[in-house]
Amino acid sequence: GETNEEGDVKVFFELNGQPRMAKVANHSASAGVSKHPKAEIGNALHVAAPMPGVVSSMTVEIGQKVSVGDVVLTIEAMKMETAIHAEADGTVAKIITPIGTQIDAKDLLVELKA
């Protein structure tokens, strides 16, 4: 099959007389594909994506102090916007996904420091 945008190829084969399909990484094509780091589970200083979508706006910048509940950014998915809030007090250390970035669930979006 053709290589998709994530660098995977659908492979069709027969096993015990039954047709099967599996996704296999195409290592020659996936070199140009960027994967986003995932947020650590339970780490309140990692702001994670709750669902797939596109980062539509960023309300913080590096060095800005945030409190629990402050809106950090918004995600657009299926024509609806979702505000993403800080889960801990801290200072914005890194913005991992700028505006317009396509993201998946549990991707690390913003990293805070205490």
Side-chain angles (χ1 to χ4, degrees):
E2 296 290 322
T3 303
N4 65 13
E5 61 274 353
E6 288 138 17
D8 295 331
V9 175
K10 286 184 181 178
V11 178
F12 297 94
F13 59 97
E14 191 172 306
L15 179 66
N16 295 332
Q18 298 293 320
R20 307 279 183 187
M21 187 276 298
K23 285 186 181 179
V24 179
N26 182 351
H27 296 292
S28 62
S30 63
V33 176
S34 62
K35 301 254 183 183
H36 299 289
K38 298 294 183 185
E40 291 177 17
I41 296 173
N43 186 348
L45 297 176
H46 281 188
V47 178
M51 62 187 174
V54 176
V55 177
S56 59
S57 70
M58 186 71 59
T59 59
V60 297
E61 50 191 43
I62 295 175
Q64 181 177 338
K65 291 188 184 290
V66 295
S67 299
V68 174
D70 287 352
V71 175
V72 177
L73 55 94
T74 58
I75 295 174
E76 182 179 328
M78 298 175 60
K79 308 254 187 227
M80 295 184 64
E81 288 194 353
T82 303
I84 308 301
H85 302 273
E87 294 183 13
D89 295 336
T91 304
V92 178
K94 289 183 191 174
I95 296 175
I96 311 297
T97 54
I99 295 172
T101 305
Q102 180 73 40
I103 55 167
D104 288 324
K106 300 181 184 172
D107 279 356
L108 178 61
L109 306 174
V110 174
E111 192 173 330
L112 305 175
K113 61 182 174 183

